[in-house]
């Protein structure tokens, strides 16, 4: 297969950056907001939750986007963003999650944010649920294990659809919905510790999310003419560790566990391999006829995060497995980030082609980037970060997006993860930085919260201004 040297991004390609409310907003108890699960997860997914918010939780202040959104959106506009991905904190709108009436102050906050975006000609791309289930729903209902969650989520979706009609066109229903199998509390608001959760409860939770996602899609199509609704999954190409067919089969099985979610979202029903898996693993699910009807309301596009690829083998005991949230084993041919995430730009082209071939739905890359330890330096009296490593990472990945587009894949846009430094989801650190904009805040909570442009700021502005032609 040949590759092209010209990257051809279509006209109207959406360029921007992606964030999540719990990682940027802070103001965790302002404006009538209720607690979310993130407010009691000071160490991210690496440690158990606490009983109440604790001082060491960096997310309580975040990067103070709640108060500085206008300044930050202006910086995004300066880079030429045409899209900004953000999430609506569910617990700002329904503080407990199960109220009848929404919190007006929370709704008004996002009005201000969307109006600010509009001022700069930036299209919001809104995630309804990004790892921030209201805490009360986790504690009282055990999160998505409970069928009642569907109704609470539908009420939340209806409320924001009606409120922001005319302001938001692009919606994502659940962030990385396939991660519920690996991080039940963070992803599914499930209070039962992962090691005590039965497979039936876990897949029942996944089923409730899938039904809720389809219900929101149906609702958006009814209420918002022209709305575009996408599912959002972790995309991670899985390679066989060896050419042994048993390794290739292990890859197929691992792929199925991930792809089931987008298969249901795009086809409207469970694929046969999933039904077999349920049958053979003693998983009995409550799937009603009404659920089956709702699931037929499929998404308009498929969006995904892409950070790494991984290997799989039928004989994991033979290798020193260095997995991540999704499991798998290390690829001996690839370098890794400081956090051990293996860097594989070509994998992005592969996954774009696989997804396009499989679903023939437009694709949207809504997360990609390099978490790294940045050092703030003084260059001619200006404080900045010389983040050539980040520029190289993003350049190489975007070149592969260009290759996929040349392969015929329909790609709607690209939002890099964390265009401004934010609190990490997996480790809750500030020092795992992704931004074009440096935020002066440290892992111990000290710092002025001032913003500084990194070298990558001008680089990305150039990529956007030339619609990808400046990539090398
Ligand atoms: C994804 C999440 C994001 C984000 C990103 C980077 O899984 O959707 O919320 O944080 O990964 O991960 P981390 O922050 O752990 O580096």
């Amino acid at each position: 297969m040949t590759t092209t040297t010209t990257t051809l991004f279509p006209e109207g390609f959406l360029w921007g950056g992606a964030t999540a409310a719990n990682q940027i907003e802070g103001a965790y108890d302002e404006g009538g907001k209720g607690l979310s699960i993130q407010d009691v997860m000071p160490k991210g997914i690496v440690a158990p939750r606490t009983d109440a918010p604790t001082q060491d939780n960096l997310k309580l202040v975040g990067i103070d986007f709640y108060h500085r959104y206008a300044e930050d959106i202006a910086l995004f506009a300066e880079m030429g963003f045409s899209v900004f991905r953000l999430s609506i904190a569910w617990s700002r709108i329904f503080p407990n999650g199960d109220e009848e009436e929404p919190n007006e102050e929370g709704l008004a906050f996002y009005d201000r944010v969307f109006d600010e975006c509009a001022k700069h000609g930036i299209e919001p791309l809104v995630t309804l649920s990004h790892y921030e289930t209201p805490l009360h729903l986790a504690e009282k209902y055990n999160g998505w294990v409970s069928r009642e969650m569907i109704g609470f989520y539908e009420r939340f979706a209806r409320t924001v659809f009606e409120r922001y009609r005319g302001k938001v066109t692009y919606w994502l229903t659940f962030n990385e919905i396939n991660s519920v199998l690996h991080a039940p509390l963070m992803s599914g608001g499930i209070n039962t510790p992962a090691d005590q959760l039965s497979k039936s409860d876990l897949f029942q939770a996944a089923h409730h999310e899938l039904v809720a996602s389809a219900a929101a899609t149906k609702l958006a199509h009814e209420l918002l003419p022209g709305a575009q609704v996408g599912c959002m999954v972790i995309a991670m190409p899985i390679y066989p560790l060896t050419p042994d067919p048993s390794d290739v089969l292990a890859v197929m099985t691992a792929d199925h566990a991930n792809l089931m979610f987008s298969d249901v979202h795009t086809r409207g029903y469970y694929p046969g391999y999933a039904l077999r898996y349920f049958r053979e693993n003693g998983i009995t699910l409550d799937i009603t006829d009404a659920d089956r009807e709702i699931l037929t309301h499929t998404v308009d596009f498929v969006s995904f995060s892409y950070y790494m690829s991984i290997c799989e083998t039928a004989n994991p005991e033979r290798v020193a497995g260095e997995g991540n949230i999704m499991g798998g084993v290390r690829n001996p041919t690839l370098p890794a980030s400081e956090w051990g995430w293996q860097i594989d730009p070509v994998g992005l082209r592969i996954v774009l082609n696989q997804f396009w071939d499989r679903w023939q739905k437009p694709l949207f890359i809504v997360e990609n980037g390099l978490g790294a330890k940045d050092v703030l330096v003084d260059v001619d009296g200006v404080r900045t970060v010389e983040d050539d490593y980040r520029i190289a990472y993003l350049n190489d990945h975007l070149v592969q997006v260009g290759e996929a587009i040349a392969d015929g894949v329909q790609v709607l846009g690209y939002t890099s993860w964390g265009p401004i430094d934010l609190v990490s989801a997996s480790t809750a650190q500030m020092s795992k930085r992704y931004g074009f904009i440096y935020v002066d805040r440290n892992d111990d909570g000290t710092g002025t919260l001032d913003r500084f442009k990194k070298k990558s700021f001008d680089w990305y502005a150039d990529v956007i201004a030339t619609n990808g032609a400046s990539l090398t």
Side-chain angles (χ1 to χ4, degrees):
M1 192 74 165
T2 53
T3 55
T4 168
T5 44
T6 5
T7 47
L8 294 173
F9 288 81
E11 211 166 305
F13 187 85
L14 293 164
W15 291 100
T19 61
N22 72 88
Q23 294 171 264
I24 59 169
E25 286 178 5
Y28 81 103
D29 60 352
E30 283 181 54
K33 178 180 167 296
L35 293 180
S36 91
I37 51 165
Q38 291 291 346
D39 299 323
V40 296
M41 296 178 71
K43 301 290 171 226
I45 48 173
V46 299
R49 52 158 292 195
T50 51
D51 292 333
T54 50
Q55 284 295 317
D56 59 342
N57 189 342
L58 293 180
K59 286 167 275 189
L60 304 187
V61 173
I63 57 161
D64 196 32
F65 179 82
Y66 188 76
H67 299 110
R68 297 169 196 240
Y69 65 89
E71 180 193 340
D72 292 340
I73 293 169
L75 285 166
F76 300 155
E78 203 181 318
M79 277 186 277
F81 281 22
S82 45
V83 61
F84 170 41
R85 177 177 175 225
L86 70 165
S87 68
I88 295 179
W90 189 345
S91 64
R92 276 198 196 286
I93 311 302
F94 290 96
N96 284 322
D98 58 359
E99 296 91 339
E100 298 278 332
E101 295 303 323
N103 168 37
E104 173 55 33
E105 254 191 285
L107 287 167
F109 169 64
Y110 295 103
D111 267 324
R112 295 198 293 277
V113 171
F114 297 143
D115 291 346
E116 203 61 31
C117 288
K119 215 168 92 182
H120 294 287
I122 296 175
E123 190 89 51
L125 165 62
V126 176
T127 318
L128 288 172
S129 180
H130 192 132
Y131 294 164
E132 50 210 2
T133 307
L135 181 60
H136 174 76
L137 296 182
E139 293 184 328
K140 180 162 180 201
Y141 302 92
N142 208 15
W144 284 96
V145 171
S146 164
R147 182 170 279 276
E148 279 175 278
M149 289 290 282
I150 301 171
F152 303 143
Y153 178 90
E154 268 190 274
R155 187 183 300 153
F156 167 50
R158 176 183 290 277
T159 303
V160 297
F161 289 161
E162 284 174 348
R163 176 70 173 225
Y164 306 122
R165 181 184 285 141
K167 295 189 182 185
V168 180
T169 301
Y170 293 94
W171 298 90
L172 306 180
T173 52
F174 287 91
N175 180 63
E176 299 190 334
I177 189 168
N178 47 347
S179 67
V180 70
L181 302 183
H182 310 275
L185 173 61
M186 185 167 80
S187 183
I190 299 172
N191 221 11
T192 306
D195 55 358
Q196 292 164 35
L197 193 62
S198 73
K199 273 195 174 176
S200 287
D201 278 352
L202 189 55
F203 279 92
Q204 188 67 47
H207 173 68
H208 292 150
E209 288 194 42
L210 287 166
V211 171
S213 181
T217 305
K218 174 172 187 272
L219 206 57
H221 289 155
E222 284 165 7
L223 294 173
L224 311 170
Q228 292 288 304
V229 185
C231 59
M232 197 297 199
V233 294
I234 298 180
M236 206 175 57
I238 308 177
Y239 307 135
L241 191 65
T242 74
D244 181 336
S246 66
D247 278 3
V248 179
L249 194 63
V251 168
M252 190 185 85
T253 307
D255 266 341
H256 279 164
N258 286 328
L259 296 174
M260 179 192 90
F261 290 83
S262 13
D263 278 349
V264 174
H265 272 107
T266 52
R267 297 173 182 173
Y269 55 88
Y270 280 94
Y273 65 79
L275 301 177
R276 176 178 185 176
Y277 180 81
F278 298 154
R279 229 172 25 239
E280 294 183 353
N281 286 276
I283 297 168
T284 45
L285 296 183
D286 172 29
I287 301 178
T288 66
D289 285 344
D291 291 350
R292 286 195 188 88
E293 193 286 316
I294 287 285
L295 289 180
T296 64
H297 296 271
T298 54
V299 288
D300 303 302
F301 65 96
V302 173
S303 78
F304 62 87
S305 61
Y306 177 78
Y307 293 94
M308 69 188 109
S309 60
I310 200 81
C311 287
E312 194 54 81
T313 172
N315 304 293
E317 66 282 356
R318 280 201 223 135
V319 289
E322 193 181 300
N324 53 22
I325 181 186
M326 305 290 278
V329 297
R330 245 182 96 73
N331 185 330
T333 70
L334 294 175
S337 80
E338 292 167 277
W339 276 264
W341 291 15
Q342 292 204 276
I343 300 170
D344 178 13
V346 173
L348 180 51
R349 175 181 179 185
I350 293 172
V351 100
L352 280 162
N353 272 277
Q354 285 175 340
F355 283 9
W356 176 250
D357 290 347
R358 192 174 180 102
W359 302 307
Q360 298 279 296
K361 292 260 189 195
L363 302 173
F364 206 141
I365 304 147
V366 297
E367 282 188 34
N368 172 237
L370 178 69
K373 288 183 186 138
D374 289 339
V375 181
L376 201 57
V377 293
D378 213 291
V379 177
D380 304 327
V382 179
R383 301 187 79 189
T384 185
V385 175
E386 310 230 275
D387 55 345
D388 295 283
Y389 39 91
R390 179 169 294 110
I391 292 171
Y393 178 103
L394 293 170
N395 179 82
D396 294 354
H397 282 76
L398 283 167
V399 164
Q400 295 302 321
V401 177
E403 295 292 347
I405 291 169
D407 292 333
V409 180
Q410 193 185 340
V411 188
L412 296 174
Y414 175 90
T415 56
S416 75
W417 177 251
I420 181 165
D421 293 345
L422 39 68
V423 184
S424 148
S426 58
T427 65
Q429 293 167 298
M430 243 344 272
S431 55
K432 192 177 186 190
R433 298 175 183 275
Y434 286 86
F436 306 112
I437 301 161
Y438 184 92
V439 177
D440 179 19
R441 188 157 196 243
N442 307 306
D443 285 346
D444 61 5
T446 58
T448 59
L449 288 166
D450 287 347
R451 276 66 167 146
F452 302 98
K453 295 175 191 170
K454 302 181 194 176
K455 188 174 176 184
S456 54
F457 186 98
D458 288 339
W459 172 82
Y460 196 45
D462 230 34
V463 172
I464 296 175
T466 61
N467 202 26
S470 66
L471 295 166
T472 52

